[in-house]
Amino acid sequence: MIAVAVVLIGLVLVSLRLLPGSPFESTAAAKWGEPATSTERGASAPGDRSSRPSPSPSPSPEPEPLPFVAKDLDLDIAGWYSWSVLDRRTGEIIGSDNMDETSTTASLIKAWIVADYLRRADEKGQTPSDAKLADATLIIRDSDNTRAQQFYNAIGGSASIKRLISRCELTDSSVASDGGWSRTKLSPRDTARMGACIADGRAAGPKWTKWLIGEMRLVRGAGDFGIRKAFPAAERKTIAIKNGWIDRTREQEMHINCLAIGDTWTMGVMVRYPIGKGYEYGMKNCQKITEALLRDPV
């Protein structure tokens, strides 16, 4: 009987060790049959990403190409001509081999004169009157010389051109020897740089840049020629321009210059040729040069 009692007691104890919740429950028995944790399966502990595959980064989309292709031009144009294009997204500049050579700007420089006037007024906490803004409109849209001279005098004359060279980081250009705005010397490369300076707000400042670009898109009459005329009609209204044209009797030359600002680019084209060929010859050649550089549509 004693032996039977011992066997029964032993069976009871074994049962208690296997019974969940029993104080005699075996630790091993409690884990037996439970799913292994991720750590026990050899995987990383929660929060440890060292063994997880990293997602592949998405490739950056290729930027849209500029509408121009760099190429050597051999056009039937009398006299001297030069061109340059600046990519506003990267700052990269392409152009003719002589894109650093200068010519007198004539009215093209008026875009800077108005920009400098507006920015300086804002820096002084001043807002130009409606009458002054109307004058600025006539300077840009209609290339009014009298009002341009008034603005030029108000901003210090040739000191304004020195600010242009410094502020827009020009490398080829210079103030006219007589101090006048019309004989300011710019290169096509610096013309494109000035366009970028207007487009990014350095020239007219944050308050007036949009206004100025809007006015330059509305250039009309005799001044509406050149670069943007090479584009389809639907695109022209999005391109801001300021052109210059003058007959230089001293040199017996015509100086025709074109500045254009697109969404992703700026462009400068300059031509210089015998005075007897007239204005229209140079105006058409600004357009002809641009057309020769345009990328073929896909």
Side-chain angles (χ1 to χ4, degrees), residues 7-298:
V7 171
L8 290 175
I9 291 171
L11 290 174
V12 170
L13 290 175
V14 170
S15 299
L16 290 174
R17 285 178 60 81
L18 297 176
L19 182 66
S22 166
F24 299 95
E25 180 185 2
S26 166
T27 303
K31 293 187 177 180
W32 182 73
E34 290 182 358
T37 64
S38 59
T39 303
E40 291 168 333
R41 288 196 301 264
S44 302
D48 181 2
R49 300 170 182 258
S50 59
S51 63
R52 300 181 187 178
S54 300
S56 300
S58 300
S60 300
E62 287 292 325
E64 287 291 323
L66 294 182
F68 307 97
V69 178
K71 62 175 75 171
D72 293 328
L73 300 182
D74 185 14
L75 304 176
D76 185 19
I77 296 176
W80 172 91
Y81 64 91
S82 180
W83 64 273
S84 183
V85 172
L86 183 148
D87 188 330
R88 290 175 53 192
R89 301 163 299 183
T90 65
E92 180 184 3
I93 297 175
I94 59 173
S96 55
D97 290 342
N98 60 352
M99 66 179 174
D100 60 339
E101 295 180 17
T102 62
S103 192
T104 65
T105 63
S107 293
L108 181 146
I109 200 65
K110 292 172 183 173
W112 166 259
I113 291 172
V114 171
D116 197 34
Y117 178 89
L118 294 172
R119 189 197 70 259
R120 285 169 60 80
D122 188 49
E123 289 172 348
K124 296 173 184 176
Q126 301 170 354
T127 299
S129 65
D130 290 343
K132 282 299 181 184
L133 288 178
D135 287 344
T137 289
L138 292 175
I139 294 170
I140 297 298
R141 296 192 196 182
D142 299 321
S143 210
D144 187 288
N145 286 333
T146 300
R147 289 174 172 84
Q149 187 64 50
Q150 292 169 354
F151 273 46
Y152 189 63
N153 293 340
I155 56 179
S158 60
S160 175
I161 306 303
K162 292 177 181 177
R163 285 192 294 273
L164 161 65
I165 294 170
S166 173
R167 193 174 191 87
C168 298
E169 301 179 9
L170 309 188
T171 59
D172 314 318
S173 304
S174 60
V175 176
S177 57
D178 64 2
W181 52 264
S182 178
R183 281 191 173 270
T184 299
K185 289 188 175 181
L186 290 188
S187 65
R189 177 168 64 181
D190 278 353
T191 298
R193 287 171 173 155
M194 187 180 83
C197 191
I198 292 171
D200 66 23
R202 283 175 290 159
K207 182 174 181 179
W208 292 106
T209 294
K210 184 177 179 180
W211 184 91
L212 178 57
I213 293 291
E215 293 299 309
M216 292 174 69
R217 287 175 176 152
L218 297 173
V219 168
R220 59 199 174 191
D224 185 10
F225 64 86
I227 295 170
R228 76 175 173 189
K229 291 289 188 180
F231 287 80
E235 292 183 45
R236 292 176 195 169
K237 62 184 180 180
T238 68
I239 299 174
I241 65 168
K242 191 71 191 86
N243 297 321
W245 62 103
I246 194 166
D247 52 337
R248 297 290 186 199
T249 55
R250 185 196 311 170
E251 295 88 348
Q252 285 296 291
E253 292 177 337
M254 301 295 297
H255 292 194
I256 311 294
N257 313 298
C258 298
L259 163 66
I261 302 171
D263 289 340
T264 58
W265 54 270
T266 62
M267 185 176 192
V269 178
M270 292 182 157
V271 296
R272 198 167 59 228
Y273 54 91
I275 197 169
K277 288 188 173 292
Y279 291 113
E280 192 172 343
Y281 181 78
M283 292 173 174
K284 287 184 175 179
N285 280 328
C286 264
Q287 179 177 341
K288 182 178 180 179
I289 291 166
T290 307
E291 288 171 343
L293 295 166
L294 284 178
R295 187 180 300 276
D296 292 332
V298 178

